Amino acid sequence: MDRVSIFSLIVSRVLRSLSAGIIFVILPYLVLVELKYSSLILGFTYTAGTFATAIFGLGVGYLADLYGRKNSLILASFLLPLSALLIFLNHSLIALFVASALGGYSATGAVAGGGIGGIVAPIQNALITELTENENRTFYFSLFTFLSGISASVGSLIAGLFNSEQGFLIAIIMGFLSVLALLPIRAKNIRAKSASLKNKVVIGKFSITGLLNGISVGLITPFLIPFFIRVFHTPKSEMSIYTFASSLIASTLILIAPFLDKKMGFVMSIAITRGIGAVLSIMMPLIRIFPISLGIYLILPAMRILAMPIQQRAMTEMVSQDEVGRAMGINQVTRLAASSGSTGLTGYLFSESQIDLPFLASGIIMALNIYMYYKFFGGKNEVNRPSRGSSLLKPSGD
């Protein structure tokens, strides 16, 4: 295993996540409080970021498999700091939409899950797959998500210490440093021989489950912070602390993903964690008591992303090595395209004071998503069986 390349990828991801965590908290306050735009405008801003991330993510997934992963990752990584630079220089509505598209301000995941700048996710995951072995892949997916989440949570905490202009300046610096950190990576230069896909059926199944997951997540995740702004009038200084705590919990719990993979396998891990998330989604708007709502906010992101490394491991085992980037990209495009529509819908509903409906719909759709995982992958197959090689504390191989 190439430790230099793994370390370089980790450093880049940490710096990028710091930048994303700052933007994650500052953006809704900039739009809703400082610029005094409506929730509908914020929803359109997130929709632009989500839709653009879906399209760009698919493109870079193909680019990575066909023309090389390292150079594709460096190129895609430039977009996040450039987007922050645009907002730093210009607060106009057009600049917000363009920056959201370039930087992927989708907020369709927890801070720990990479809710900002998701365009690079397919390439990062393809590189992790390239640099690791099957038996320790869940561990490394979990490790990267953990470090990314911790860094993003620190970024969200930093956001509460500075005004918007200062916060975006720090995000710009961290973003450009994350690009420089990629230079020492030594990729194996795995390239597909053809643009056609051999694993269409498997990729199609993951795309359907991704679509349902995208609708469910897009309905509420970008509006968890606006929920507290609208319902409880929570100031940014407090919300940054709560976001830090929520991300810290999610990032720490992600470390048990290899254990879940080993004990329960792919489908059962998703069913339990996302099932809990569905119940919490339904509860949140119905019980508008601040300590209870805050408790749900602290736990919900963790339940949304806890099985993510296991799902990623399963996908990489079910598709060919030279199709991983495209498989990840196609899965992302269906998930984020669906999220873009549902996020826009929630922006409208929030502007009309219909706050309950998106949360209720999200829980129901997530339940349907779990059912589809059982339908597609619930049989006795290799990826659904508990992973024999996963270890909670350390990788099982070198």
Side-chain angles (χ1 to χ4, degrees):
M1 187 182 70
D2 188 342
R3 295 184 181 276
V4 172
S5 296
I6 287 286
F7 180 75
S8 298
L9 193 58
I10 286 175
V11 171
S12 176
R13 188 151 174 172
V14 166
L15 291 169
R16 183 178 178 85
S17 297
L18 279 168
S19 178
I22 293 171
I23 296 171
F24 187 86
V25 172
I26 286 180
L27 184 67
Y29 281 92
L30 174 66
V31 174
L32 297 176
V33 180
E34 297 181 29
L35 301 179
K36 301 188 184 304
Y37 290 121
S38 67
S39 297
L40 183 60
I41 294 297
L42 179 63
F44 283 151
T45 302
Y46 285 138
T47 298
T50 304
F51 186 76
T53 299
I55 300 302
F56 291 157
L58 178 62
V60 298
Y62 271 82
L63 193 67
D65 281 347
L66 297 174
Y67 299 107
R69 292 169 180 173
K70 177 181 175 179
N71 292 336
S72 300
L73 180 57
I74 291 174
L75 179 64
S77 296
F78 268 112
L79 295 181
L80 182 62
L82 288 176
S83 71
L85 179 61
L86 178 58
I87 292 184
F88 180 77
L89 298 174
N90 192 334
H91 288 351
S92 71
L93 197 57
I94 294 177
L96 282 173
F97 286 146
V98 172
S100 182
L102 291 176
Y105 299 170
S106 62
T108 52
V111 177
I116 298 286
I119 182 178
V120 303
I123 315 178
Q124 286 182 337
N125 290 334
L127 270 173
I128 294 171
T129 303
E130 177 181 315
L131 296 169
T132 60
E133 304 296 333
N134 286 344
E135 63 268 16
N136 56 36
R137 196 161 289 148
T138 302
F139 167 82
Y140 281 106
F141 278 134
S142 301
L143 176 65
F144 271 76
T145 305
F146 166 72
L147 294 173
S148 178
I150 291 294
S151 305
S153 64
V154 172
S156 69
L157 193 62
I158 291 172
L161 304 177
F162 299 94
N163 60 37
S164 296
E165 184 176 276
Q166 294 167 335
F168 272 104
L169 180 59
I170 297 172
I172 292 166
I173 295 171
M174 295 296 177
F176 280 118
L177 288 176
S178 74
V179 178
L180 293 177
L182 295 171
L183 297 179
I185 291 177
R186 298 187 290 261
K188 297 178 182 177
N189 204 27
I190 296 174
R191 297 188 183 186
K193 298 178 181 178
S194 170
S196 62
L197 294 168
K198 301 185 291 291
N199 304 114
K200 294 184 182 70
V201 173
V202 171
I203 293 173
K205 290 179 178 180
F206 276 106
S207 296
I208 292 172
T209 56
L211 183 144
L212 292 171
N213 185 51
I215 295 173
S216 176
V217 172
L219 281 168
I220 64 169
T221 304
F223 287 88
L224 289 174
I225 291 177
F227 175 85
F228 282 89
I229 295 174
R230 293 300 192 206
V231 175
F232 299 111
H233 306 288
T234 308
K236 184 173 62 138
S237 57
E238 287 185 25
M239 200 67 225
S240 65
I241 296 174
Y242 303 146
T243 302
F244 167 77
S246 177
S247 181
L248 184 64
I249 291 170
S251 302
T252 303
L253 286 180
I254 204 77
L255 291 176
I256 72 172
F259 175 79
L260 294 179
D261 196 12
K262 182 178 180 181
K263 296 298 182 182
M264 294 188 291
F266 166 41
V267 174
M268 184 62 70
S269 299
I270 287 178
I272 291 177
T273 57
R274 295 186 182 176
I276 295 172
V279 173
L280 294 177
S281 298
I282 293 173
M283 289 175 56
M284 189 164 187
L286 300 179
I287 308 175
R288 296 191 184 186
I289 301 172
F290 182 77
I292 295 177
S293 296
L294 180 59
I296 293 174
Y297 177 70
L298 293 176
I299 299 171
L300 180 58
M303 295 301 102
R304 289 287 195 181
I305 70 167
L306 184 50
M308 183 169 63
I310 305 171
Q311 187 257 6
Q312 291 168 336
R313 185 272 303 172
M315 185 184 296
T316 60
E317 289 187 17
M318 295 178 73
V319 301
S320 303
Q321 177 69 211
D322 62 353
E323 295 184 5
V324 171
R326 285 170 289 172
M328 295 284 185
I330 292 169
N331 181 260
Q332 185 182 66
V333 74
T334 54
R335 176 171 54 84
L336 294 184
S339 291
S340 67
S342 58
T343 297
L345 175 60
T346 301
Y348 169 75
L349 293 173
F350 263 56
S351 69
E352 296 295 318
S353 299
Q354 298 294 322
I355 295 178
D356 295 5
L357 187 57
F359 288 87
L360 299 177
S362 177
I364 293 171
I365 293 170
M366 183 55 71
L368 176 60
N369 184 37
I370 293 170
Y371 167 76
M372 295 307 297
Y373 268 107
Y374 272 105
K375 184 175 179 63
F376 289 149
F377 307 110
K380 294 182 179 180
N381 54 64
E382 180 64 27
V383 297
N384 189 38
R385 293 207 300 265
S387 175
R388 294 184 298 272
S390 299
S391 172
L392 177 61
L393 297 178
K394 61 181 181 179
S396 56
D398 190 28

